[in-house]
Amino acid sequence: MANREQFMRKFDKLIAEFGEEKPSILLHSCCGPCSSAVIELLAKYFDVTVLWYNPNLYPREEFEKRLETQKQLIECLEKDGSKAKLMECEWRCDDYFPRVKGLENEPEEGKRCIECFRIRLEETAKIAAEKGFRWFCTTLTVSSRKDAVVINAIGREFAEKYGVKWLPSEFRKREGNHRSIILSEKYGLYRQEYCGCVFSMGGKGE
């Protein structure tokens, strides 16, 4: 529990050092609803670019629907003063299925999900390094069903590998998860009924 409480304290300490500067950050988004409160928060301190890279999403129609929801959210937030740009990656399911081979029968929140985090966070770190972003982060920690300790450890690993700063977070803290629900309702966002991969279809959502 202590580790989890430290993430947002580290976040506070880091942004307090920025002053008037707004450094660039590449924010991996898992979906529009989860990203809503995160973008609203980060836009106060960063020049935010949202990365849409989710090769786990299935089927393609669901991928496209969630991407359109992400675009809708960014437009709505900008009207309310929270600006963010969007960087889109195509539906690259071939990035996902070979990596989770042998993990098909893992339960939700198990080893398959951890591998999914690794796929998306490594690509985010790689793109951040290539494009010259100073920081990278993910919206995944806003969900009550995602392990922030695991996600932050993966983020730190790829920060070291690619030479980009990882922003520690547990965005569900300080009513982040609740705020995302409020914003999703306010903007009329599509809220999916399953996490995203073919293995989670018919199961619980975010």
Side-chain angles (χ1 to χ4, degrees):
M1 183 63 69
N3 285 336
R4 289 176 170 83
E5 294 170 353
Q6 289 175 9
F7 294 132
M8 293 311 289
R9 287 200 294 268
K10 290 178 180 178
F11 173 94
D12 291 337
K13 183 177 180 180
L14 287 167
I15 63 173
E17 299 171 354
F18 292 168
E20 297 299 317
E21 179 189 16
K22 277 194 171 184
S24 60
I25 189 168
L26 188 62
L27 173 68
H28 164 262
S29 173
C30 57
C31 67
C34 282
S35 70
S36 58
V38 179
I39 295 171
E40 184 183 59
L41 173 64
L42 292 185
K44 298 175 184 177
Y45 310 107
F46 293 90
D47 177 8
V48 180
T49 296
V50 175
L51 177 66
W52 184 258
Y53 173 71
N54 293 295
N56 57 306
L57 296 182
Y58 188 88
R60 187 187 188 105
E61 291 77 12
E62 183 71 14
F63 175 92
E64 297 293 347
K65 190 171 185 177
R66 296 192 194 195
L67 173 56
E68 289 306 310
T69 301
Q70 185 72 68
K71 293 177 179 178
Q72 175 190 348
L73 169 69
I74 288 175
E75 290 178 1
C76 291
L77 284 173
E78 183 168 4
K79 291 176 182 178
D80 284 346
S82 299
K83 294 183 179 180
K85 298 178 282 293
L86 178 64
M87 184 184 299
E88 298 177 36
C89 292
E90 296 179 351
W91 187 55
R92 289 157 35 188
C93 61
D94 287 344
D95 287 1
Y96 176 73
F97 285 110
R99 291 278 296 272
V100 298
K101 186 174 179 60
L103 301 175
E104 295 88 348
N105 295 321
E106 281 286 313
E108 285 298 293
E109 305 177 55
K111 293 179 181 179
R112 187 183 63 248
C113 293
I114 292 174
E115 189 62 27
C116 185
F117 300 157
R118 293 184 64 83
I119 295 166
R120 291 182 284 173
L121 286 180
E122 180 165 20
E123 185 69 8
T124 305
K126 182 180 178 181
I127 292 174
E130 292 173 348
K131 301 294 185 182
F133 288 89
R134 289 180 58 186
W135 296 83
F136 78 105
C137 193
T138 181
T139 62
L140 287 165
T141 63
V142 81
S143 171
S144 60
R145 299 191 66 205
K146 303 294 189 292
D147 190 330
V149 173
V150 170
I151 292 166
N152 277 275
I154 294 170
R156 291 192 302 270
E157 175 188 343
F158 292 129
E160 183 175 347
K161 180 176 180 179
Y162 291 98
V164 183
K165 295 181 180 179
W166 166 255
L167 183 69
S169 72
E170 185 167 10
F171 290 123
R172 81 192 72 174
K173 295 291 187 181
R174 302 172 189 174
E175 301 296 316
N177 186 272
H178 181 62
R179 179 63 178 165
S180 71
I181 294 172
I182 291 174
L183 290 173
S184 296
E185 292 177 351
K186 176 181 178 180
Y187 299 136
L189 302 182
Y190 163 64
R191 289 181 61 83
Q192 56 272 8
E193 297 182 355
Y194 64 103
C195 186
C197 72
V198 64
F199 310 106
S200 65
M201 294 179 74
K204 296 180 180 179
E206 294 289 334

